Amino acid sequence: MTMPPSSPPSSPQIALTMKHETGNSMVDSTRTNSEYDSNVITICNIRDPTTSIVLSKQYTDTVGSRWRLNVYPKGNNTNQRYLSTYVELCDGIAGRYQYTVELLHDDVTRQVKFQSEDHFQVGEIRGYQKFIHVRRLLEEGYLSEDGSILIRLSIRPATLALRCQYQEEYQTLKEDKLRTQFNGQLNQLQSREKNLLDENASLQSLVYPEYASNIFVVRNFTALRQAQEDICSDNAYDDLGCCWRLIVYANGDKEGRDEWLSVYLRLLEGIPGSYEYCVELLHNDAAKTVKMEGTQSFDIQERFGWTRFARLDWICANGFVNEEHDALYFRFSLRPPNYKAKCEYQQLLRVEAKRECELLRRELIPAYSTMTYTLRNFSDMQRKDNFVYSDPLIDDLGFCWRLLIYPNGHSEGRGNHLTVYLVLFEGVSASRFEYRVELLHPGNPTANIKMEGVNVFKLKKIWGWPQFIHHERLQEEGYLDQTTDTLELRLSMCPPDIKLKCSYQQEFIRKLKENQK
């Protein structure tokens, strides 16, 4: 698989700089268990005398374990005459693995290759202290013009039986994590519902709701003013379970900048509605305390407050700033405006808790969102060297996905391969998703070519396979429907777990609300 460039193409010329491969070339999911999971890694700053260690990006093998390569350009353990390389198991299944580390060269006869078999624990490294002499590295053409080298790291379980065992262990581990997350969230919701029931009983004796108060200390006030930064309180929960946050702009916000202290309240989660508030800037002399209070209608994630809460020169001159700690002290208090409103909010929270509990039960493992796309006039597009975007796949989060297809190939697949990329057009950038891209066989579903795994997708940046399938194989094995000159592709996407799905959904809703303002 190939890492993406910075943006989707407006023309077929795009530079792709790294590739993830199985063995030495792109293959489909029917590969044999004897093949390595390989990754070609670019190691930069080899000539830089200040570089002591270079850590590659982590990549995930087919078992599910995550690996990376640690390179010491000046050697490890003070031996500066040799470049050292070590393989690290970052996360996954401990066990016995075979690994190969190859230093690539334009002349294949000069490539340096070490192969070993070791037992790995998570966090342990194995490798070669004397991988290659530094002088040989510098003088024999291993370095590119920008001072970088290419190393191919290949890893596989030591035996076929171990591969199957590790895959089963990883699946069990993944299921246990999902189950633990689900049970934790379910217990929180059940506890929250119980607390709401208890609170409902105690409300019978209340004539008027009490304030839920929180103290917020703004430390390093002077430094915050100079940096013109804002600071937020920790999440504060009232007795209904609503989550609030106080936001302070030490040097002012908007029209209050440089002259006024600006303060805002925000309802992060809970029940939108009318609340009484009281925000106080505290002073040792209670008579000097600055207080803002009233009743306001709050919506989720929308802030309310004052760009001109108090003049900064007045605050500094009248002893509000604690000189010993360079800090301001705030107290913010909230409550529903009356007993009836509190009972209504409580009932709404109970209904919401039951709804979320039911959703968690139904969505222990998120389901794939799937779309099938028919690529028409394949031969004509191949001759014209064009590319095409598939119809959009709108998943159940509202994210928009498309396939970017080059019938005549792109990058290293140009002229002899079908190239397929995956693009996140709308959603939350840097989202981690499970993907499945399939080339469907018209007459034999068991022959479908399937690419699947997990990847982090950035907004409007392409990612995929320059060498998805060779043109000869398309013709000879019947993937191209000769009668209609069409190819059928199927795209399936879903977040890997419920926690991420909920997080992406909240962030996407927040973005949509901001765009509507």
Side-chain angles (χ1 to χ4, degrees):
M1 291 184 291
T2 302
M3 299 296 292
S6 60
S7 62
S10 58
S11 65
Q13 285 74 33
I14 292 181
L16 302 179
T17 59
M18 293 184 63
K19 63 180 181 180
H20 174 70
E21 54 188 27
T22 304
N24 292 325
S25 61
M26 295 301 304
V27 299
D28 61 40
S29 60
T30 60
R31 60 185 175 194
T32 66
N33 287 285
S34 64
E35 293 175 340
Y36 281 97
D37 293 311
S38 296
N39 194 38
V40 177
I41 304 166
T42 301
I43 305 297
C44 303
N45 302 324
I46 296 299
R47 292 196 185 98
D48 189 345
T50 64
T51 301
S52 59
I53 183 173
V54 180
L55 305 178
S56 74
K57 293 182 178 179
Q58 298 181 13
Y59 79 98
T60 304
D61 63 17
T62 54
V63 171
S65 300
R66 290 191 286 113
W67 303 83
R68 74 178 173 195
L69 186 67
N70 302 343
V71 179
Y72 294 79
K74 297 186 294 184
N76 193 18
N77 296 331
T78 70
N79 187 349
Q80 299 188 3
R81 293 179 299 172
Y82 288 84
L83 179 138
S84 304
T85 59
Y86 298 90
V87 179
E88 180 181 357
L89 174 57
C90 301
D91 188 25
I93 303 301
R96 180 159 291 277
Y97 292 85
Q98 295 175 354
Y99 59 95
T100 302
V101 182
E102 301 174 79
L103 177 60
L104 305 184
H105 193 284
D106 292 338
D107 182 358
V108 294
T109 61
R110 292 191 175 186
Q111 293 184 173
V112 179
K113 179 177 180 180
F114 286 83
Q115 185 172 359
S116 299
E117 180 178 317
D118 276 306
H119 189 278
F120 285 83
Q121 295 289 343
V122 175
E124 288 186 350
I125 61 173
R126 298 284 187 269
Y128 314 99
Q129 183 178 359
K130 297 182 179 181
F131 184 77
I132 184 174
H133 201 287
V134 172
R135 179 179 297 176
R136 181 183 174 192
L137 179 71
L138 297 175
E139 296 177 356
E140 295 189 14
Y142 292 94
L143 291 181
S144 63
E145 293 181 357
D146 61 0
S148 62
I149 59 175
L150 294 178
I151 295 180
R152 180 186 291 119
L153 174 61
S154 306
I155 299 172
R156 67 180 178 188
T159 65
L160 176 60
L162 286 176
R163 175 185 287 270
C164 298
Q165 175 187 331
Y166 296 166
Q167 287 175 334
E168 292 176 356
E169 290 178 3
Y170 178 76
Q171 186 62 31
T172 300
L173 180 63
K174 183 178 179 181
E175 292 173 356
D176 289 342
K177 287 182 178 179
L178 282 172
R179 190 176 295 107
T180 300
Q181 291 174 354
F182 172 76
N183 290 335
Q185 293 177 350
L186 187 59
N187 290 336
Q188 288 179 1
L189 288 172
Q190 291 174 341
S191 176
R192 184 175 172 183
E193 183 177 4
K194 181 179 182 300
N195 291 337
L196 289 173
L197 291 172
D198 294 341
E199 179 66 10
N200 186 52
S202 65
L203 279 173
Q204 304 300 324
S205 61
L206 294 178
V207 178
Y208 201 81
E210 294 182 353
Y211 275 112
S213 298
N214 299 272
I215 299 295
F216 176 39
V217 182
V218 178
R219 305 184 188 279
N220 302 316
F221 175 68
T222 304
L224 288 172
R225 282 194 65 187
Q226 293 172 351
Q228 297 191 358
E229 294 180 350
D230 63 295
I231 185 170
C232 298
S233 70
D234 294 332
N235 292 347
Y237 293 88
D238 61 21
D239 54 0
L240 287 174
C242 298
C243 180
W244 299 85
R245 183 174 286 176
L246 191 69
I247 307 167
V248 177
Y249 287 78
N251 200 46
D253 181 39
K254 298 180 180 178
E255 62 266 28
R257 186 174 294 275
D258 297 328
E259 295 182 0
W260 293 81
L261 183 72
S262 300
V263 181
Y264 301 94
L265 273 172
R266 174 172 286 166
L267 174 59
L268 293 182
E269 60 182 37
I271 298 299
S274 181
Y275 291 86
E276 290 186 4
Y277 62 84
C278 180
V279 179
E280 302 168 90
L281 175 58
L282 303 180
H283 193 282
N284 291 332
D285 181 356
K288 292 184 178 181
T289 295
V290 179
K291 181 186 295 186
M292 298 289 188
E293 57 186 347
T295 303
Q296 176 65 28
S297 179
F298 288 86
D299 287 328
I300 301 297
Q301 294 294 341
E302 290 187 0
R303 71 182 191 180
F304 163 80
W306 309 267
T307 56
R308 298 180 178 182
F309 186 86
R311 289 193 65 89
L312 290 168
D313 53 358
W314 183 80
I315 289 173
C316 296
N318 285 274
F320 285 88
V321 181
N322 183 297
E323 295 181 357
E324 181 180 356
H325 300 102
D326 191 25
L328 291 178
Y329 293 83
F330 288 86
R331 178 168 57 222
F332 59 103
S333 308
L334 294 129
R335 68 181 180 187
N338 51 56
Y339 174 80
K340 179 181 178 182
K342 186 170 184 177
C343 292
E344 290 174 350
Y345 295 169
Q346 195 172 42
Q347 180 62 29
L348 290 172
L349 283 170
R350 187 180 296 112
V351 172
E352 181 68 14
K354 289 182 178 179
R355 187 188 68 83
E356 291 180 2
C357 184
E358 181 62 27
L359 287 175
L360 282 173
R361 288 193 181 99
R362 288 187 301 170
E363 298 184 7
L364 175 59
I365 299 177
Y368 277 101
S369 298
T370 301
M371 175 272 293
T372 301
Y373 173 67
T374 301
L375 175 60
R376 306 183 187 281
N377 302 317
F378 173 81
S379 301
D380 185 49
M381 295 191 67
Q382 181 181 357
R383 285 192 300 271
K384 293 180 179 179
D385 203 14
N386 288 342
F387 65 85
V388 64
Y389 282 105
S390 72
D391 298 331
L393 166 62
I394 308 299
D395 63 21
D396 57 0
L397 291 176
F399 290 18
C400 178
W401 304 84
R402 287 179 184 266
L403 294 175
L404 172 59
I405 306 168
Y406 288 83
N408 197 41
H410 178 257
S411 188
E412 59 262 40
R414 190 181 185 88
N416 49 34
H417 282 80
L418 174 71
T419 295
V420 180
Y421 295 121
L422 184 54
V423 187
L424 172 59
F425 266 80
E426 186 176 357
V428 177
S429 189
S431 298
R432 189 166 179 260
F433 268 76
E434 292 185 6
Y435 62 86
R436 184 186 299 147
V437 178
E438 299 173 85
L439 177 61
L440 307 183
H441 193 286
N444 184 10
T446 61
N448 292 350
I449 296 177
K450 183 187 303 182
M451 300 295 187
E452 57 184 346
V454 180
N455 189 59
V456 175
F457 293 90
K458 294 185 178 180
L459 201 61
K460 296 185 179 179
K461 293 187 178 180
I462 68 172
W463 182 91
W465 305 268
Q467 298 175 329
F468 190 90
I469 184 174
H470 201 282
H471 287 157
E472 292 183 357
R473 189 177 174 193
L474 274 177
Q475 302 283 345
E476 295 173 358
E477 298 186 16
Y479 291 96
L480 177 64
D481 190 323
Q482 302 288 350
T483 304
T484 60
D485 195 26
T486 59
L487 290 177
E488 293 279 346
L489 295 104
R490 183 162 57 213
L491 170 63
S492 303
M493 304 295 299
C494 75
D497 58 58
I498 292 174
K499 182 178 179 181
L500 283 177
K501 181 175 181 179
C502 294
S503 174
Y504 296 159
Q505 195 165 42
Q506 290 176 356
E507 177 66 16
F508 191 50
I509 291 173
R510 184 188 65 80
K511 286 178 60 179
L512 291 175
K513 286 185 176 180
E514 289 180 352
N515 292 336
Q516 291 174 357
K517 292 181 181 178

